[in-house]
Amino acid sequence: MSSYAVFLRGINVGGINIRMADLKDALKSCGFGDVKTLLASGNVVLTSEQDAGAVKQQLEECLRKSFGYDAWVVVLPAQRVSELVDACPYPEDDKRTHTYITLASDTAMLDELDAAGAALEGAEQKRLGPEALAWLAPAGGTLESPFSKISSKARFKATTTTRNLRTLIKVRDAAAALN
């Protein structure tokens, strides 16, 4: 049995509202074990005997069937989340900036985002691996930041999702508790 972190894209925003208790019940009914939700923004830890690719496929099908929306998720082994948190060079708490990590299920899409961000004047970002890119946004101005505007484009919707570093730390800790 392997532990995974699952990051749902676009729930509880834009009219797609899912209660975490309902999400947990749906995932359990689809055969996932030890399901735990964190926060209300689509963060889940769970166990499965399948590999990450199969978990992603099964989970997206489960969400589409259970909640009737075009679901996309990023699935990472629990150990990988821990490695990404450790690799992030930016602080988890800072009064001037917030640290975000964009996670991707498609390396080519993250390559494109990475290049677009690198071309922005004054951008601070660091590639943490093929599936993750850490970046900084000014406190109080995340949604207006140039990188945020790029990453929110429709072309990235199916393959990427962004979380702040504090959330990834909570997910890491919850996933570690499954073992």
Side-chain angles (χ1 to χ4, degrees), residues 56 60 72-75 103-108 131 158-161:
K56 174 182 171 39
E60 288 176 344
W72 296 292
V73 301
V74 174
V75 176
L103 303 166
S105 59
D106 180 332
T107 301
E131 73 284 83
T159 60
T160 66
T161 190

Side-chain angles (χ1 to χ4, degrees), residues 90-95 97-99 165-166:
Y90 306 125
E92 76 179 84
D93 284 309
D94 184 284
K95 292 182 182 187
T97 61
H98 293 290
T99 301
L165 179 58
R166 291 182 314 278

